[in-house]
Amino acid sequence: MHIMVTNDDGIHAPGIQALAAALGELGEVTVVAPDRERSAAAHSLTLHSPLRVFEIRDRFFAVDGTPTDCVNMGIHRLLPFRPDLVVSGINHGANLGDDITYSGTVAAAMEANLMGIPAMAVSLATFEASEHFSAAAGVAVRIARQILDNGLPADTFLNVNVPNCSADKMNPPLITRQGRRSFVGTVIHKTDPRGRTYYWIGSDEPDFNDYEGTDFYAINRGHVSITPLHLDLTNYDSMKIVSGWNF
Amino acid sequence: MHIMVTNDDGIHAPGIQALAAALGELGEVTVVAPDRERSAAAHSLTLHSPLRVFEIRDRFFAVDGTPTDCVNMGIHRLLPFRPDLVVSGINHGANLGDDITYSGTVAAAMEANLMGIPAMAVSLATFEASEHFSAAAGVAVRIARQILDNGLPADTFLNVNVPNCSADKMNPPLITRQGRRSFVGTVIHKTDPRGRTYYWIGSDEPDFNDYEGTDFYAINRGHVSITPLHLDLTNYDSMKIVSGWNF
Amino acid sequence: MHIMVTNDDGIHAPGIQALAAALGELGEVTVVAPDRERSAAAHSLTLHSPLRVFEIRDRFFAVDGTPTDCVNMGIHRLLPFRPDLVVSGINHGANLGDDITYSGTVAAAMEANLMGIPAMAVSLATFEASEHFSAAAGVAVRIARQILDNGLPADTFLNVNVPNCSADKMNPPLITRQGRRSFVGTVIHKTDPRGRTYYWIGSDEPDFNDYEGTDFYAINRGHVSITPLHLDLTNYDSMKIVSGWNF
Amino acid sequence: MHIMVTNDDGIHAPGIQALAAALGELGEVTVVAPDRERSAAAHSLTLHSPLRVFEIRDRFFAVDGTPTDCVNMGIHRLLPFRPDLVVSGINHGANLGDDITYSGTVAAAMEANLMGIPAMAVSLATFEASEHFSAAAGVAVRIARQILDNGLPADTFLNVNVPNCSADKMNPPLITRQGRRSFVGTVIHKTDPRGRTYYWIGSDEPDFNDYEGTDFYAINRGHVSITPLHLDLTNYDSMKIVSGWNF
């Protein structure tokens, strides 16, 4: 059994360390991860500049690229065998609802799925200094074992969010759908020491609609949330409506 | 009527120039686009460094960020009014099938959709030096008029691909679903002048499954392809299967 | 006669446009300059990533690198002949005293000098929106003609600063030595929208010692300042003192 | 006694670890260094984007900037007291002759000198995997002690190069002048997987003129080379010649 681990918080983040260590009980683990934080990298791919790889210790490879780059580097170059599973995380902070489209953590699992490799993304639902990475890593191992035992359904990868608490306080996993966010963004501006204006994209705490069955609803009640995803963004219901338009 | 235009090929690309000019017949156009090429940026967002804006001429703003950053800068800061429509493109090269998840062009429309603003992405299906941007811009205007007249269905934005030919040779629009790619990736390696290894993520010509009803099928036969998208990546069919697992 | 022009404000800056146009009366001009602002790049060289070149119009090449990179690209790759002269500028803002060690404008002339090519850097002594680039370009042409007629002395390149006024109000050139700055730096800190601290290196208006014979003294009195520079940083007076130490 | 240590190979490089450890016998050491390799950064300063600091362990600060940025961050923000000495290195590879103008290692010492703080740069003269950092660190301590005992002469900082051998095989220090390089540069070009050309600035092994009294001559014979530097680049001999020109 061979497992590749990646993330978007960077190879030195505590979440990936906990994850790699815990998955060791299922098989051989190779880590291929960004050399520094790449949050909100989404599914971006480095096409117009080259990548560098640094083997920082045995089976730990740092890449100066995005999570999606790391999956490519791992599968096509660094791993001796095609892995049985790719696990991305443990992200520091939830990846819920529409926000998963920004997520480098989820994108890494998406990339593995495109290559036909079973994959999941794992996130810890907190922005506090996180104490419960090892509990979350335990959850990841349990789900990984299910994937390895059952296989994933066709065209499916998993987005897992784990509440930030110890294992005994966690509620059991719920299979959820992707929630919807009530989006309120902002851009602030400031002046630098040379008198020039610069801007920051601000972010409020994302506010999700607390509908039953969603990832947000599950996390909000202390459950592990498991959302099966695919890559098909087609809105089938809208196809008929748009077909009636007069081009 | 106010329209915001962006892209991922950069503000100096011919595709965005043709698009902005053509949309002028529908209303006032403001361009907010990356200062240079940001292909394969996906839905990435610049959270940890600030952004700069340069007004390179009246209503043309260059931002040193991604297409998604540009939509934020435009809507939250640079535009005097909330636009009636956001159009992203015209991308040099198709955005078809699973590959749309890498696309900065599509991500910009996705971001506008998240903000509740009608949006579409427009791409010209060629990687040759492209002669037919003005024909594609004409198609964009026709579809934009339909959006402004009919409104888009709930939770929907459009991904439009246009064949690279003159208007009279183009076949009529088909409403399509997102196709599937036969993925074969690669990573090549080389040695730099200082003896260190570097890597390039390679890309073959993407090879799509030519199934009827898909975006690829339409483009392959000279039709304009219009795919209604949403942000819900949930694989509903897989929810039941995974629910039967034994966690 | 072949002249290469570069700068550190980027290829679109008004100073390089004025300079390239004015030097046209002395011979054929090729511009190889950074694609965007690279102030305070000093003599930095891009060794660990590759460079891209864009010919934005005939004999105007934009490089995604530093001024020093541009000199390398120009001399070793883009120019058909070895140039008779490299001129860097016209920088927006003076390059005086110790501050020349930060300057990308001066570094480009330094790099040409290392290659054995006559070179000078030209800067306009203002941080206001600058109206007098064409007057400064006229000065550059006059000095360039002297270099081409007389040759530069061995191991010498020129650092030219021009006061920001019309040609008729300018005082004649003085041959100066590099002045000394009274350095007071600062670092300010702020908090980004995600609660993380970031820092800006601040800069007061540099305050120079107004000693007769220096570049600062000349500019301060409306003269063009011409400082012959070399690459030898050895402090010969200190060699004896340190030789007496007891290692 | 308080000593600040920085470098341009990055905070994780073995050279800075050896240096910081060895200098501990002279006083309290604080490390402020780039978070990754910044070779050939020269005296470049980050003015147009902000900097981040990460305290990776007690008194070890990583900055996402250049060596010159690190000196600013250390002196103006991170150190509780103004240091008695700034030491930059130990660089992996010599910094000899004209090449010191490219060097981030030397530039850090230059920046400290501009602030009126005694400073030296230390480099190990090898590009092999280096075994002799601890011998070089011993040399650095001996010279640092001399600086702290005697004070540096006015307007002087030191550029130290150490041969790559054990302490017992090293010849005694020579006080040297900056040598001259026989420069032969090159630019190579290649084609990326998307068919676009890119360029690398090549570098032959630098070839120096082996003149007695130079840094290169000393290193070439197994001596430690100590070159006192200043910031005055004026070529005084050329001032008279250029004064005779007819502007």
Side-chain angles (χ1 to χ4, degrees):
Chain A
M1 201 64 69
H2 200 92
I3 300 171
M4 178 181 143
V5 171
T6 190
N7 75 344
D8 76 355
D9 288 334
I11 199 163
H12 299 293
I16 197 169
Q17 306 284 343
L19 181 61
L23 288 169
E25 72 175 74
L26 298 181
E28 260 189 322
V29 173
T30 304
V31 173
V32 184
D35 59 353
R36 52 187 185 280
E37 189 179 352
R38 299 276 177 165
S39 298
H43 202 201
S44 61
L45 190 60
T46 302
L47 296 180
H48 299 301
S49 61
L51 297 169
R52 302 281 188 174
V53 175
F54 310 90
E55 186 166 6
I56 59 177
R57 61 178 197 267
D58 191 41
R59 294 184 169 280
F60 268 72
F61 298 94
V63 175
D64 64 342
T66 66
T68 299
D69 294 335
C70 290
V71 174
N72 278 275
M73 286 300 308
I75 304 305
H76 295 310
R77 178 66 48 175
L78 300 172
L79 271 66
F81 302 106
R82 188 172 168 89
D84 302 286
L85 180 65
V86 170
V87 187
S88 175
I90 301 170
N91 193 61
H92 182 213
N95 277 304
L96 297 168
D98 309 316
D99 280 358
I100 64 172
T101 60
Y102 300 113
S103 166
T105 308
V106 174
M110 189 184 283
E111 186 73 5
N113 174 259
L114 270 170
M115 296 177 179
I117 302 168
M120 72 166 159
V122 184
S123 305
L124 185 62
T126 178
F127 283 105
E128 307 297 307
S130 293
E131 296 170 85
H132 296 290
F133 278 123
S134 71
V139 171
V141 169
R142 285 203 335 261
I143 300 174
R145 187 172 279 136
Q146 291 297 310
I147 294 175
L148 296 168
D149 285 355
N150 301 305
L152 277 168
D155 299 331
T156 301
F157 61 103
L158 300 185
N159 181 35
V160 177
N161 283 272
V162 184
N164 188 33
C165 58
S166 58
D168 57 314
K169 293 194 180 138
M170 220 176 274
N171 287 325
L174 296 180
I175 311 304
T176 55
R177 70 175 193 277
Q178 180 185 329
R180 291 298 305 271
R181 178 174 172 175
S182 317
F183 192 91
V184 187
T186 177
V187 167
I188 62 172
H189 73 289
K190 297 194 172 179
T191 303
D192 74 22
R194 267 144 293 275
R196 290 165 43 164
T197 303
Y198 62 100
Y199 302 88
W200 286 102
I201 295 181
S203 65
D204 311 292
E205 276 296 294
D207 191 16
F208 292 94
N209 298 317
D210 190 27
Y211 295 143
E212 195 169 344
T214 63
D215 46 12
F216 179 69
Y217 183 94
I219 280 294
N220 220 16
R221 284 154 187 78
H223 291 273
V224 174
S225 163
I226 302 176
T227 312
L229 300 177
H230 61 175
L231 279 164
D232 188 357
L233 279 71
T234 312
N235 187 332
Y236 290 93
D237 294 339
S238 296
M239 286 179 69
K240 276 178 215 159
I241 299 171
V242 176
S243 294
W245 288 5
N246 182 28
F247 294 105
Chain B
M1 202 64 71
H2 200 94
I3 301 171
M4 179 182 143
V5 171
T6 191
N7 75 344
D8 76 354
D9 288 334
I11 200 164
H12 299 293
I16 197 170
Q17 306 285 341
L19 181 61
L23 288 169
E25 71 176 72
L26 297 181
E28 263 189 319
V29 173
T30 303
V31 173
V32 184
D35 60 352
R36 52 189 185 279
E37 188 179 352
R38 299 277 176 164
S39 298
H43 202 201
S44 61
L45 190 59
T46 303
L47 295 180
H48 299 302
S49 60
L51 298 170
R52 303 280 190 174
V53 176
F54 309 90
E55 187 167 6
I56 59 177
R57 60 179 199 268
D58 192 41
R59 294 182 169 280
F60 267 72
F61 298 93
V63 174
D64 63 341
T66 67
T68 298
D69 295 334
C70 289
V71 174
N72 277 276
M73 286 300 307
I75 305 305
H76 295 311
R77 178 65 48 176
L78 299 172
L79 271 66
F81 302 106
R82 189 173 168 89
D84 301 286
L85 180 65
V86 170
V87 187
S88 175
I90 300 170
N91 193 62
H92 182 213
N95 277 305
L96 297 168
D98 309 316
D99 279 358
I100 63 172
T101 59
Y102 301 114
S103 165
T105 309
V106 174
M110 188 183 282
E111 185 72 5
N113 174 260
L114 270 170
M115 296 178 181
I117 301 169
M120 73 166 158
V122 184
S123 305
L124 185 62
T126 179
F127 283 105
E128 308 297 307
S130 293
E131 296 170 84
H132 296 290
F133 278 123
S134 71
V139 170
V141 169
R142 283 201 340 257
I143 300 174
R145 187 172 279 135
Q146 290 297 312
I147 294 175
L148 296 169
D149 285 356
N150 300 306
L152 278 167
D155 299 332
T156 302
F157 61 103
L158 300 185
N159 181 36
V160 176
N161 283 272
V162 185
N164 188 33
C165 58
S166 57
D168 57 313
K169 293 193 180 137
M170 218 175 272
N171 287 325
L174 295 179
I175 311 305
T176 55
R177 69 175 194 276
Q178 180 186 327
R180 291 298 306 272
R181 178 176 174 174
S182 318
F183 193 92
V184 187
T186 177
V187 166
I188 62 173
H189 72 288
K190 296 194 172 178
T191 303
D192 74 22
R194 268 144 292 276
R196 290 166 42 164
T197 303
Y198 62 100
Y199 301 88
W200 286 102
I201 296 181
S203 64
D204 311 292
E205 277 297 293
D207 191 16
F208 292 94
N209 298 318
D210 190 28
Y211 294 142
E212 195 170 344
T214 63
D215 45 11
F216 178 69
Y217 184 94
I219 279 294
N220 220 16
R221 284 152 186 81
H223 291 273
V224 174
S225 164
I226 302 176
T227 312
L229 301 177
H230 60 177
L231 279 164
D232 188 358
L233 279 71
T234 311
N235 187 332
Y236 290 93
D237 293 339
S238 296
M239 285 178 70
K240 276 180 217 159
I241 300 170
V242 176
S243 294
W245 289 5
N246 181 28
F247 295 105
Chain C
M1 200 66 69
H2 200 93
I3 300 171
M4 178 182 145
V5 171
T6 190
N7 75 345
D8 76 354
D9 289 332
I11 200 164
H12 298 294
I16 197 170
Q17 306 285 341
L19 181 62
L23 288 169
E25 71 175 73
L26 298 182
E28 262 189 320
V29 173
T30 303
V31 173
V32 184
D35 60 352
R36 53 188 184 280
E37 189 179 353
R38 297 278 176 162
S39 297
H43 201 200
S44 61
L45 190 60
T46 303
L47 296 179
H48 298 302
S49 61
L51 297 169
R52 302 280 189 174
V53 175
F54 310 90
E55 186 167 6
I56 58 176
R57 60 179 198 268
D58 191 41
R59 295 182 169 280
F60 268 71
F61 298 94
V63 175
D64 64 340
T66 67
T68 298
D69 294 335
C70 289
V71 174
N72 277 276
M73 287 299 307
I75 304 304
H76 295 311
R77 178 65 47 176
L78 300 171
L79 272 64
F81 302 107
R82 189 172 167 88
D84 301 287
L85 180 65
V86 170
V87 187
S88 175
I90 300 170
N91 192 62
H92 182 213
N95 276 305
L96 297 169
D98 309 316
D99 280 358
I100 63 172
T101 59
Y102 300 114
S103 166
T105 308
V106 173
M110 188 184 282
E111 185 73 4
N113 174 259
L114 270 170
M115 295 177 181
I117 301 170
M120 71 166 161
V122 185
S123 305
L124 185 62
T126 179
F127 282 105
E128 309 296 309
S130 293
E131 296 170 83
H132 296 290
F133 278 122
S134 71
V139 170
V141 169
R142 285 204 336 260
I143 300 175
R145 188 172 278 135
Q146 291 295 311
I147 294 175
L148 296 169
D149 285 357
N150 302 304
L152 277 168
D155 297 333
T156 302
F157 61 103
L158 301 184
N159 182 36
V160 176
N161 283 273
V162 185
N164 188 33
C165 58
S166 58
D168 57 315
K169 291 195 181 137
M170 219 175 271
N171 288 324
L174 295 179
I175 310 307
T176 55
R177 69 175 194 275
Q178 179 186 329
R180 292 297 304 271
R181 177 175 173 175
S182 318
F183 192 91
V184 188
T186 177
V187 166
I188 62 173
H189 72 289
K190 297 194 171 178
T191 303
D192 74 22
R194 267 145 292 277
R196 289 165 43 164
T197 303
Y198 62 100
Y199 301 88
W200 286 102
I201 296 182
S203 65
D204 311 292
E205 276 296 295
D207 192 14
F208 292 95
N209 298 317
D210 190 26
Y211 294 144
E212 195 169 344
T214 63
D215 46 10
F216 178 68
Y217 183 94
I219 279 294
N220 220 15
R221 283 153 187 80
H223 291 273
V224 174
S225 164
I226 303 176
T227 311
L229 301 177
H230 61 178
L231 279 165
D232 187 357
L233 279 71
T234 311
N235 186 333
Y236 289 93
D237 294 339
S238 296
M239 286 178 70
K240 276 179 215 158
I241 299 170
V242 176
S243 294
W245 289 5
N246 182 27
F247 295 105
Chain D
M1 201 64 70
H2 199 92
I3 300 170
M4 177 182 145
V5 171
T6 190
N7 75 345
D8 76 354
D9 288 333
I11 199 163
H12 299 293
I16 197 169
Q17 306 284 342
L19 181 62
L23 288 169
E25 72 176 73
L26 298 182
E28 261 189 323
V29 173
T30 304
V31 173
V32 184
D35 60 352
R36 53 188 185 279
E37 188 179 353
R38 298 277 177 164
S39 297
H43 201 201
S44 61
L45 190 60
T46 303
L47 296 180
H48 299 302
S49 61
L51 297 169
R52 302 282 188 173
V53 175
F54 310 90
E55 186 166 6
I56 59 176
R57 61 178 197 267
D58 190 41
R59 295 183 168 279
F60 268 72
F61 298 94
V63 175
D64 64 341
T66 67
T68 299
D69 294 335
C70 289
V71 174
N72 277 274
M73 286 300 307
I75 305 304
H76 295 311
R77 179 65 48 178
L78 300 172
L79 272 66
F81 302 106
R82 189 172 168 89
D84 301 287
L85 180 65
V86 170
V87 187
S88 175
I90 298 170
N91 192 62
H92 181 213
N95 277 304
L96 297 168
D98 309 316
D99 280 358
I100 63 171
T101 60
Y102 300 114
S103 166
T105 309
V106 174
M110 189 184 284
E111 186 72 4
N113 174 259
L114 270 170
M115 295 178 181
I117 301 169
M120 71 166 161
V122 185
S123 305
L124 186 62
T126 178
F127 283 105
E128 308 297 308
S130 293
E131 296 171 83
H132 296 289
F133 278 123
S134 70
V139 170
V141 169
R142 286 208 328 264
I143 300 175
R145 187 171 279 135
Q146 290 297 311
I147 294 176
L148 295 169
D149 285 357
N150 301 304
L152 277 168
D155 298 334
T156 302
F157 61 102
L158 301 184
N159 181 36
V160 177
N161 283 273
V162 185
N164 188 33
C165 59
S166 58
D168 56 314
K169 292 195 180 135
M170 219 175 274
N171 288 324
L174 295 180
I175 310 306
T176 54
R177 69 176 194 277
Q178 179 186 329
R180 291 298 305 271
R181 177 174 172 176
S182 318
F183 191 91
V184 188
T186 177
V187 167
I188 62 173
H189 73 288
K190 297 194 172 178
T191 303
D192 74 23
R194 268 144 292 275
R196 289 167 43 164
T197 304
Y198 62 99
Y199 301 88
W200 286 102
I201 296 182
S203 64
D204 310 294
E205 276 296 294
D207 191 15
F208 291 95
N209 298 318
D210 189 27
Y211 295 143
E212 195 169 344
T214 63
D215 46 12
F216 178 68
Y217 183 95
I219 280 294
N220 219 16
R221 283 153 186 81
H223 291 273
V224 174
S225 163
I226 303 176
T227 312
L229 301 177
H230 61 176
L231 279 164
D232 188 358
L233 280 71
T234 312
N235 186 332
Y236 288 93
D237 294 339
S238 296
M239 286 179 70
K240 276 180 216 158
I241 299 170
V242 176
S243 294
W245 288 6
N246 182 27
F247 294 106

